[in-house]
Amino acid sequence: MMQESGTETKSNGSAIQNGSSGGNHLLECGALREGRSNGEAPATELGAADLAHVQQQQALQVARQLLQQQQQQQQVSGLKSPKRNDKQPTLQVPMSVAMMTPQVITPQQMQQILQQQVLSPQQLQVLLQQQQALMLQQQQLQEFYKKQQEQLQLQLLQQQHAGKQPKEQQQVATQQLAFQQQLLQMQQLQQQHLLSLQRQGLLTIPPGQPALPLQPLAQGMIPTELQQLWKEVTGVHTAEEAPSNNPSSLDLTTCVSSSAPAKASLVMNPHASTNGQLSVHTPKRESLSHEEHPHSHPLYGHGVCKWPGCEAVCEDFPSFLKHLNSEHALDDRSTAQCRVQMQVVQQLELQLAKDKERLQAMMTHLHVKSTEPKAAPQPLNLVSSVTLSKSASEASPQSLPHTPTTPTAPLTPVTQGPSVITTTSMHTVGPIRRRYSDKYNVPISSADIAQNQEFYKNAEVRPPFTYASLIRQAILESPEKQLTLNEIYNWFTRMFAYFRRNAATWKNAVRHNLSLHKCFVRVENVKGAVWTVDEVEFQKRRPQKISGNPSLIKNMQSSHAYCTPLNAALQASMAENSIPLYTTASMGNPALGNLASAMREELNGAMEHANSNESDSSPGRSPMQAVHPVHVKEEPLDPEEAEGPLSLVTTANHSPDFDQDRDYEDEPVTEDME
DNA sequence: ATGCATCTAAACATAG
DNA sequence: ACTATGTTTAGATGCA
């Protein structure tokens, strides 16, 4: 009786839910198919990256020199006449250097990127570190700018009063211009990189990537830091936005659209999109054009001010300059905007650079000509996407951007802009499934796992572990190797942001697993009853199937496996994106150490089986598997997932230590809590 | 095609 | 009566 009735209901429910969920797993990740034919311009792209760095350095040097000169001049001649210009250019100088920065990427965009999980926690950390380093440079530059601006303004005022145009000013302007040009070039390059990045689905960092000099520093970084950084950025942004109605203040938000034209040309450029090649050229071209055609200001086009959110109509360049000076003068707001933009750009640029390096390495390894890698990847993607089958197709439809069903979740307050590329592209990808095979012996360090844990703690991404594995882990982590059901729940919510939602569902799953698996033994206790793990039983499971955490294994495998195939070129990023975990450098994370080690055990065990038994891991659809692939896909399961990893912000609060008993349920997030 | 593992959903039982 | 905890069944999905 029950069965029957149950069956019916189930069928209904499961049909719907499963359907969605099933689709989810598939999502595994997508790679951007076209997005990047990144294969295309490996060499060039690399060049671009390098160039960007070089230019940055150059710009910095120039800035310093100029600054010194200015200082000298000031000392000698007072504010008034800096006369030095050396060979600097002759263009007119827009007042605010800051403006020079093409604001292509908004914080929202950045968020999106982050949310999309394009980057693994490690990557983010590394990037953050790098960014910080760069920020110093940027600050220096900004200081320089400020001085220049102040000087200029002063001069302007003086002259206006005097009614004449001082040469000095022009000279200063010249210097500024030179500097600005440098900066502009650099920024353009960065933007290009960003764009290409986006197209690629946002880079990823190769696991073994040697290169990043900043890595060491990165190790110290943790998601929290990232979050903070982000907060800072966003904070600035919001702070500015709120106060003024000013168009400029809106920039960050609207900037995308407003600047779209300018940027679009660069970014959307078919060439650019195809690969990074253009990115290199474009910037140069533009810079040249600027030099030659002073009127082609990055913030000016089609008779409109392209300052993010502005769009003021300026009939001619001079009027534009006036507008710039008046409306977008160097002030806190502009500075902040600039700063934000710089951070975003830098971060993305760094990411891109890394990804390019990786790509290069891959290409080299594969003996592929740098010129046309795209061909291979595309086909693959297509194929893969096709193979994905229904689930993928079902899920894939562009569903991600908006929070699916339950937007209520406060967790990720951050805006989710139109997330884009990544998600969509990701959906299309489908290779994940196919890759299992041989080479997955990649050693996984506990540190990596720990890192991942940290990531999952903050990012609402489904962990690539089965419920059984997680439960076991929770129990093993406890001092007495035993936990009450409620404690297990708490562990889940504490360790995984993902489990702070849809409590009814996963809690039911937890209970189900506890009862179902023999490895979990219920022991009567003073408190009532506690659950323990029968390691022997647990181990028994593995042999049969990697049950331990098939999904996990798969994920790992896949992530590493990706590298091999040519297609990998494209998917590499995806893989990483989707599977932040097992890749990259390990950044120790004490708090999660235990978990990490435990998980590792499982992984290793599973891996063994996988290797020996071919690959038994059944990725299945365990929620966890689907997980990293980008929540986007999972959304069906959990509506809120769409929000993405960015939940960083939200999660920032809970630190590892947070009391075990703390219940997330209070958070609105867990809507349905029982 | 089949079996297995996993997940999700749901019904039901029991104890507090 | 309600809730938390457990148990069990069933459908769905993916993989080997």
PDB file of all heavy atoms in Angstrom, chain A residues 248-259:
ATOM      1  N   SER A 248      28.925  58.996 -13.124  1.00  0.00           N
ATOM      2  CA  SER A 248      30.153  58.271 -12.930  1.00  0.00           C
ATOM      3  C   SER A 248      30.005  57.253 -11.847  1.00  0.00           C
ATOM      4  O   SER A 248      30.565  56.191 -11.887  1.00  0.00           O
ATOM      5  CB  SER A 248      31.243  59.207 -12.494  1.00  0.00           C
ATOM      6  OG  SER A 248      30.898  60.476 -12.728  1.00  0.00           O
ATOM      7  N   SER A 249      29.303  57.628 -10.892  1.00  0.00           N
ATOM      8  CA  SER A 249      29.182  56.696  -9.791  1.00  0.00           C
ATOM      9  C   SER A 249      28.535  55.419 -10.264  1.00  0.00           C
ATOM     10  O   SER A 249      28.746  54.363  -9.736  1.00  0.00           O
ATOM     11  CB  SER A 249      28.339  57.304  -8.692  1.00  0.00           C
ATOM     12  OG  SER A 249      27.089  57.653  -9.218  1.00  0.00           O
ATOM     13  N   LEU A 250      27.767  55.567 -11.247  1.00  0.00           N
ATOM     14  CA  LEU A 250      27.078  54.389 -11.737  1.00  0.00           C
ATOM     15  C   LEU A 250      27.957  53.514 -12.574  1.00  0.00           C
ATOM     16  O   LEU A 250      27.665  52.378 -12.807  1.00  0.00           O
ATOM     17  CB  LEU A 250      25.900  54.834 -12.598  1.00  0.00           C
ATOM     18  CG  LEU A 250      24.911  55.654 -11.791  1.00  0.00           C
ATOM     19  CD1 LEU A 250      23.820  56.122 -12.709  1.00  0.00           C
ATOM     20  CD2 LEU A 250      24.383  54.847 -10.647  1.00  0.00           C
ATOM     21  N   ASP A 251      28.964  54.062 -12.946  1.00  0.00           N
ATOM     22  CA  ASP A 251      29.781  53.360 -13.875  1.00  0.00           C
ATOM     23  C   ASP A 251      29.953  51.944 -13.626  1.00  0.00           C
ATOM     24  O   ASP A 251      29.791  51.114 -14.459  1.00  0.00           O
ATOM     25  CB  ASP A 251      31.191  53.779 -13.794  1.00  0.00           C
ATOM     26  CG  ASP A 251      31.238  55.129 -13.659  1.00  0.00           C
ATOM     27  OD1 ASP A 251      30.231  55.673 -13.910  1.00  0.00           O
ATOM     28  OD2 ASP A 251      32.198  55.599 -13.406  1.00  0.00           O
ATOM     29  N   LEU A 252      30.425  51.689 -12.483  1.00  0.00           N
ATOM     30  CA  LEU A 252      30.785  50.328 -12.210  1.00  0.00           C
ATOM     31  C   LEU A 252      29.662  49.430 -12.615  1.00  0.00           C
ATOM     32  O   LEU A 252      29.854  48.404 -13.218  1.00  0.00           O
ATOM     33  CB  LEU A 252      31.068  50.188 -10.745  1.00  0.00           C
ATOM     34  CG  LEU A 252      32.277  51.022 -10.442  1.00  0.00           C
ATOM     35  CD1 LEU A 252      32.603  50.921  -8.983  1.00  0.00           C
ATOM     36  CD2 LEU A 252      33.436  50.580 -11.264  1.00  0.00           C
ATOM     37  N   THR A 253      28.539  49.846 -12.244  1.00  0.00           N
ATOM     38  CA  THR A 253      27.441  48.985 -12.569  1.00  0.00           C
ATOM     39  C   THR A 253      27.130  48.947 -14.030  1.00  0.00           C
ATOM     40  O   THR A 253      26.982  47.915 -14.626  1.00  0.00           O
ATOM     41  CB  THR A 253      26.201  49.512 -11.889  1.00  0.00           C
ATOM     42  OG1 THR A 253      26.634  50.264 -10.808  1.00  0.00           O
ATOM     43  CG2 THR A 253      25.352  48.428 -11.496  1.00  0.00           C
ATOM     44  N   THR A 254      27.007  50.104 -14.505  1.00  0.00           N
ATOM     45  CA  THR A 254      26.570  50.190 -15.883  1.00  0.00           C
ATOM     46  C   THR A 254      27.706  50.116 -16.848  1.00  0.00           C
ATOM     47  O   THR A 254      27.530  49.961 -18.021  1.00  0.00           O
ATOM     48  CB  THR A 254      25.901  51.520 -16.092  1.00  0.00           C
ATOM     49  OG1 THR A 254      26.810  52.506 -15.662  1.00  0.00           O
ATOM     50  CG2 THR A 254      24.645  51.572 -15.308  1.00  0.00           C
ATOM     51  N   CYS A 255      28.771  50.302 -16.317  1.00  0.00           N
ATOM     52  CA  CYS A 255      29.918  50.390 -17.163  1.00  0.00           C
ATOM     53  C   CYS A 255      29.947  49.400 -18.274  1.00  0.00           C
ATOM     54  O   CYS A 255      30.354  49.681 -19.366  1.00  0.00           O
ATOM     55  CB  CYS A 255      31.106  50.200 -16.295  1.00  0.00           C
ATOM     56  SG  CYS A 255      32.219  49.152 -16.740  1.00  0.00           S
ATOM     57  N   VAL A 256      29.524  48.299 -17.988  1.00  0.00           N
ATOM     58  CA  VAL A 256      29.588  47.295 -19.029  1.00  0.00           C
ATOM     59  C   VAL A 256      28.862  47.776 -20.251  1.00  0.00           C
ATOM     60  O   VAL A 256      29.385  47.774 -21.340  1.00  0.00           O
ATOM     61  CB  VAL A 256      28.913  46.008 -18.570  1.00  0.00           C
ATOM     62  CG1 VAL A 256      28.977  45.006 -19.668  1.00  0.00           C
ATOM     63  CG2 VAL A 256      29.584  45.546 -17.316  1.00  0.00           C
ATOM     64  N   SER A 257      27.697  48.147 -20.001  1.00  0.00           N
ATOM     65  CA  SER A 257      26.908  48.537 -21.147  1.00  0.00           C
ATOM     66  C   SER A 257      27.431  49.803 -21.775  1.00  0.00           C
ATOM     67  O   SER A 257      27.594  49.902 -22.963  1.00  0.00           O
ATOM     68  CB  SER A 257      25.471  48.752 -20.716  1.00  0.00           C
ATOM     69  OG  SER A 257      25.448  49.715 -19.684  1.00  0.00           O
ATOM     70  N   SER A 258      27.696  50.725 -20.939  1.00  0.00           N
ATOM     71  CA  SER A 258      28.109  51.993 -21.483  1.00  0.00           C
ATOM     72  C   SER A 258      29.414  51.868 -22.230  1.00  0.00           C
ATOM     73  O   SER A 258      29.607  52.405 -23.296  1.00  0.00           O
ATOM     74  CB  SER A 258      28.269  53.006 -20.361  1.00  0.00           C
ATOM     75  OG  SER A 258      29.265  52.569 -19.481  1.00  0.00           O
ATOM     76  N   SER A 259      30.272  51.189 -21.635  1.00  0.00           N
ATOM     77  CA  SER A 259      31.563  51.078 -22.266  1.00  0.00           C
ATOM     78  C   SER A 259      31.540  50.025 -23.346  1.00  0.00           C
ATOM     79  O   SER A 259      32.460  49.883 -24.111  1.00  0.00           O
ATOM     80  CB  SER A 259      32.595  50.683 -21.222  1.00  0.00           C
ATOM     81  OG  SER A 259      32.213  49.481 -20.646  1.00  0.00           O
TER      82      SER A 259
END
